[in-house]
């Protein structure tokens, strides 16, 4: 009998969690107040006044976060929940199945409930992404808000308020109503828009106009660990401004009232790249402006996130257009949402001048090599990797090359390069994926309400640009198992993936920045700054020798490990017969392993295919 009741309770709770959200407006306005002044202890204090009538009320903490593609709501950092009505405490109970739901009974005579809790920003790296430091804070509204169940998030009105540390400035897509000292009141908005409008604030702040004189403004809101990190020269600002113009020429539309890049340059504030309809969260390490040439590869972040305003936010997969933040997202079209965005991000970075075209080619070479050597393709098609935000949620993997991760991003980029060059080939280079972008994302100019799409919609739009068997073309690449990555697009672009015993200067600089040494395409692994083995190739040389993660390389042929020493050993072994002797430590075990490898060093690069049109050059050229 007890088991039957437990099963019944689970069924009822599951039914509740799947309850459809009403499309009727929620009565009244939620007043949300967030105190973000405790930067020393990294604590956000939250108070909410939620209109309610006597009886049962369920409050939800957001679970499925847009842009994360999974159930990543930071419930583990939510604490101190207290509920009251008319000044008296009200007990709450957590739902036994849907742990993001809290049930309360509103007493008679009450017309609202007051809620208090804390959101605890991580104070150490192993606790999650840091959202508050002594100099920077980021407000992600889904982390500091409870909302009533049973209503669509765009039918719930919220009036948000924020207290920032003394004198701090901020950037956000939210529209300010008043500011008194350090207390800021924003204009009332719906919950969906609120969650889609985060805020960065900082002690050191600079706002850069990226489209001077435009009717629809675009700003780069920069916060940093120090004032000198904000210094940007006119020559550095220029390609950011060109990014805006190149995006407009590509997408032929704007789907926001104004756009705000939120940009943190910090070694303490957590790194991030997350899209929103009228803004984006972007976080990089120190040196973005201060060491401009050194960190060129970082400059693909802003083009990617800006593209998402069109692809992912305005046009979004139907399975991503859900009623509230506790309804599961469906990820089957992430290879369009993220994969095509990855492609346009790389293209726009080159077209705007943020990254040199020849360096973009190097980055494409690195991507092509990585996915051409993914052994996990044998058992797992790239289509299945759209489930990884739910399955793995970006946790570290022991055997990424075999398990696969969110490969729909960069392998998706290769698929869309394939589609672009196919259109160019079939049309005699009169049409391209640029035409798809203009028609697919350029509809309803000025409208900032999401316009969902299906697989059939994508195929139809491609056929409108250039008739072809696009459904078969896409499904073959998404559901296939190779061999190798989808590199036909490179061939059609007039280039091929090749390997050399020396990396390109640009990729060598990226390797130096990461303080790692790449031997993936020779010995089958990379070596981190501390000698730790990483990035194993499944069935590669190191794998077959029994090596695995958690292993430190100590010596090469009897001498203390240095990256240049191992490179020299691999080069010498190419013309010899003796194996490479390596000393490893794993746990308390020391072991000498002889790698019988004689293939020399191998680093990816692109090489021109003689006698073919250079379509890649055409793709990376700025639009007129």
């Amino acid at each position: 009998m007890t088991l039957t009741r437990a099963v019944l309770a689970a069924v009822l709770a599951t039914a509740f969690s799947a309850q459809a959200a009403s499309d009727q407006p929620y009565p009244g306005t939620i007043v949300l107040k967030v105190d973000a002044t405790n930067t020393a202890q990294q604590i956000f204090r939250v108070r909410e006044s939620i209109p309610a009538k006597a009886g049962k009320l369920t409050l939800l903490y957001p679970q499925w976060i847009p842009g994360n593609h999974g159930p990543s709501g930071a419930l583990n950092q939510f604490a101190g929940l207290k509920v009251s009505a008319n000044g008296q405490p009200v007990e709450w109970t957590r739902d036994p199945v849907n742990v993001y739901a809290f049930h309360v009974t509103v007493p008679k005579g009450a017309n609202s409930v007051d809620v208090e809790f804390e959101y605890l920003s991580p104070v150490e790296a192993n606790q999650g992404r840091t959202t508050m430091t002594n100099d920077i804070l980021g407000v992600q509204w889904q982390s500091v808000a409870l909302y009533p169940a049973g209503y669509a998030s765009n039918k719930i009105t919220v009036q948000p308020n924020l207290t920032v540390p003394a004198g701090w400035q901020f950037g956000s897509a939210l529209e300010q109503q008043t500011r008194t000292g350090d207390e800021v009141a924003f204009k009332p908005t719906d919950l969906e828009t609120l969650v889609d409008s985060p805020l960065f604030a900082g002690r050191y702040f600079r706002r850069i106009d990226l489209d001077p004189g435009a009717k629809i403004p675009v700003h780069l809101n920069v916060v940093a660990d120090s004032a000198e990190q904000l210094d940007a020269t006119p020559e550095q600002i220029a390609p950011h401004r060109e990014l805006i113009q190149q995006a407009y020429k590509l997408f032929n539309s704007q789907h926001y009232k104004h756009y705000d890049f939120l940009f943190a340059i910090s070694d303490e504030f957590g790194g991030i790249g997350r899209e929103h309809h009228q803004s984006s969260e972007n976080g990089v390490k120190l040196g973005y402006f201060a060491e401009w040439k050194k960190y060129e590869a970082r400059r693909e972040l802003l083009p990617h996130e800006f593209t998402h305003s069109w692809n992912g936010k305005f046009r979004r997969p139907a399975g991503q257009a859900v009623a509230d933040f506790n309804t599961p997202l469906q990820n089957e079209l992430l290879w369009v949402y993220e994969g095509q965005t990855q492609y346009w991000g790389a293209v726009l970075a080159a077209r705007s001048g943020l990254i040199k075209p020849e360096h973009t080619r190097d980055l494409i070479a690195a991507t092509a090599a990585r996915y051409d050597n993914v052994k996990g393709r044998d058992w797992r098609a790239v289509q299945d990797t759209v489930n990884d935000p739910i399955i793995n949620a970006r946790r570290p993997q022991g055997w990424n090359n075999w398990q696969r991760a969110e490969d729909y991003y960069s392998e998706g980029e290769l698929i869309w390069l394939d589609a672009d060059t196919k259109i160019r080939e079939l049309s005699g280079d009169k049409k391209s994926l640029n035409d798809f972008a203009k028609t697919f994302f350029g509809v309803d100019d000025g409208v900032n309400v999401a316009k969902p799409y299906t697989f059939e919609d994508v195929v139809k739009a491609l056929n409108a640009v250039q008739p072809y068997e696009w459904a078969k073309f896409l499904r073959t690449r998404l559901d296939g198992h190779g061999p190798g990555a989808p590199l036909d697009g490179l061939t059609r672009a007039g280039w091929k993936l090749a390997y050399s015993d020396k990396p390109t200067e640009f990729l060598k600089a990226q390797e130096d920045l990461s303080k790692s040494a790449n031997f993936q395409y020779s010995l089958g692994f990379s070596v981190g700054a501390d000698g730790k083995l990483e990035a194993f190739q499944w069935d590669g040389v190191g794998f077959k020798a029994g090596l695995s993660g958690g292993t430190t390389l100590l010596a090469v042929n009897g001498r203390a490990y240095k990256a240049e020493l191992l490179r020299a050993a691999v080069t010498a072994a190419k013309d010899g017969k003796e194996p490479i002797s390596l000393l490893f430590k794993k746990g308390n075990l020391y072991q000498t392993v002889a790698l019988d490898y004689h293939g020399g060093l191998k680093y990816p690069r692109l090489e021109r295919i003689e006698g073919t049109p250079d379509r890649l050059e055409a793709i990376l050229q700025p639009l007129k």
Side-chain angles (χ1 to χ4, degrees), residues 460-611:
K460 181 179 179 181
L462 286 168
N463 273 312
V465 173
Q466 177 61 53
Y468 187 61
E469 296 178 331
W470 288 111
K472 180 180 179 181
F473 175 95
L474 293 170
R475 292 265 53 101
T476 298
R477 287 151 180 77
L478 294 166
D479 302 329
H481 295 278
L487 300 184
D488 289 349
L490 265 181
T491 303
R492 245 182 259 110
W495 295 80
K496 64 181 178 181
L497 175 64
Y499 295 88
S500 169
D501 60 0
K502 290 183 175 60
T504 67
E505 289 185 12
F506 183 70
L507 292 182
K508 177 63 167 62
Q510 302 315 305
E511 186 177 319
D512 291 343
L513 280 176
S514 67
K515 298 181 180 178
S516 65
N518 183 357
F519 298 95
Q520 291 181 47
Y521 308 115
S522 52
L523 301 180
F525 53 80
S526 289
V527 187
D530 54 2
K532 290 285 182 67
L533 302 191
E534 56 193 20
F536 280 88
Q537 296 286 318
W538 187 268
D539 279 344
V541 175
F543 178 92
K544 290 179 178 178
L547 300 175
S548 67
T551 300
T552 302
L553 175 56
L554 300 177
V556 179
N557 292 332
R559 298 175 62 189
Y561 166 74
K562 291 183 180 180
E564 57 268 27
L565 183 62
L566 183 54
R567 293 189 191 103
V570 173
T571 299
K574 184 177 181 180
D575 298 321
K577 296 182 180 180
E578 294 297 317
I580 303 167
S581 178
L582 303 177
L583 175 64
F584 297 100
K585 179 178 183 292
K586 184 173 183 179
N588 294 323
L589 177 67
Y590 291 81
Q591 181 183 15
T592 299
V593 175
L595 295 185
D596 195 16
Y597 172 76
H598 305 280
L601 295 169
K602 293 181 180 180
Y603 299 99
R605 62 177 63 228
L606 295 188
E607 292 182 357
R608 279 283 286 129
I609 302 172
E610 292 187 11

Side-chain angles (χ1 to χ4, degrees), residues 217-230:
V218 178
H219 288 98
L220 181 65
N221 302 279
V222 191
V223 291
D225 287 349
S226 60
E228 58 267 21
Q229 290 293 321
L230 303 176

Side-chain angles (χ1 to χ4, degrees), residues 154-483:
N154 64 358
K155 298 297 182 180
I156 300 172
T157 302
V158 183
Q159 197 274 301
N161 302 267
L162 176 68
T163 304
V164 297
W168 284 28
Q169 301 299 312
F170 65 87
S172 175
L174 289 178
E175 296 184 2
Q176 180 177 311
Q177 184 166 273
T178 61
R179 177 168 184 168
T180 304
D182 299 310
E183 296 183 0
V184 184
F186 296 98
K187 293 180 181 179
T189 188
D190 63 89
L191 180 65
E192 182 175 320
T193 300
L194 176 65
V195 169
D196 199 37
S197 305
L199 178 149
F200 279 10
R203 185 188 311 276
Y204 308 105
F205 178 89
R206 181 183 180 186
R207 197 171 201 219
I208 301 172
D209 190 344
L210 295 186
D211 199 2
K215 292 182 179 179
I216 300 178
V218 178
H219 288 98
L220 181 65
N221 302 279
V222 191
V223 291
D225 287 349
S226 60
E228 58 267 21
Q229 290 293 321
L230 303 176
D231 293 338
T233 67
E235 292 74 20
Q236 292 169 342
I237 294 172
H240 293 86
R241 288 178 170 164
E242 183 61 19
L243 166 63
I244 310 308
Q245 301 310 313
Q246 285 296 316
Y248 290 166
K249 291 174 182 178
L250 176 63
F251 299 120
N252 198 36
S253 61
Q254 296 160 306
H255 299 288
Y256 43 79
K257 296 178 181 178
H258 52 87
Y259 190 91
D260 286 88
F261 289 98
L262 311 180
F263 192 47
I265 304 173
S266 172
D267 283 345
E268 297 180 14
F269 189 72
I272 190 172
R274 185 170 300 159
E275 66 275 10
H276 302 280
H277 203 142
Q278 300 190 105
S279 64
S280 57
E281 298 171 88
N282 309 273
V284 297
K285 296 294 185 182
L286 295 179
Y288 183 86
F289 292 122
E291 299 179 84
W292 182 251
K293 292 182 180 180
K294 184 177 180 181
Y295 293 112
E296 184 179 352
R298 291 180 181 174
R299 301 202 284 270
E300 199 172 274
L301 175 61
L302 297 183
H304 179 102
E305 301 305 336
F306 192 42
T307 295
H308 270 314
S309 182
W310 289 269
N311 184 20
K313 302 308 294 185
F314 170 60
R315 298 306 308 267
R316 68 182 67 175
Q320 299 280 314
V322 295
D324 62 24
F325 301 111
N326 293 71
T327 298
L329 299 169
Q330 297 179 44
N331 289 345
E332 65 270 18
L333 291 176
L334 285 185
W335 52 271
V336 185
Y337 181 130
E338 294 290 4
Q340 193 174 139
T341 296
Q342 190 79 358
Y343 179 67
W344 289 130
V347 170
L348 287 172
R351 289 178 181 175
S352 65
L354 283 167
I355 297 179
K356 294 179 180 179
E358 59 268 30
H359 294 164
T360 298
R361 288 201 303 267
D362 288 344
L363 291 171
I364 293 173
T367 297
R370 177 181 177 184
Y371 290 98
D372 203 40
N373 288 276
V374 167
K375 284 293 293 181
R377 188 183 310 280
D378 292 351
W379 72 276
R380 191 179 186 193
V382 70
Q383 175 66 73
D384 188 62
T385 68
V386 302
N387 299 302
D388 230 62
I390 301 170
I391 296 170
N392 193 54
R394 296 189 176 178
R395 290 185 290 265
Q397 293 178 309
W399 302 100
N400 175 271
N401 184 263
W402 182 241
Q403 293 168 275
R404 307 201 72 172
E406 296 177 37
D407 293 354
Y408 54 85
Y409 274 88
S410 295
E411 188 164 325
E413 176 185 355
L414 296 175
I415 290 172
W416 286 108
L417 172 63
D418 201 351
D420 194 351
T421 56
K422 190 65 179 178
I423 294 172
R424 291 170 187 264
E425 179 187 64
L426 291 171
S427 68
D429 292 304
K430 294 179 181 179
K431 296 180 180 179
S432 70
L433 202 64
N434 295 335
D435 298 289
F436 170 87
K438 288 181 180 179
T439 56
F440 194 71
F441 302 114
V443 296
D444 300 339
D445 184 27
V447 174
N448 63 354
V449 177
K451 189 177 181 69
Y453 61 80
T454 64
F455 176 81
E456 290 73 21
D457 292 329
V458 175
V459 170
K460 181 179 179 181
L462 286 168
N463 273 312
V465 173
Q466 177 61 53
Y468 187 61
E469 296 178 331
W470 288 111
K472 180 180 179 181
F473 175 95
L474 293 170
R475 292 265 53 101
T476 298
R477 287 151 180 77
L478 294 166
D479 302 329
H481 295 278

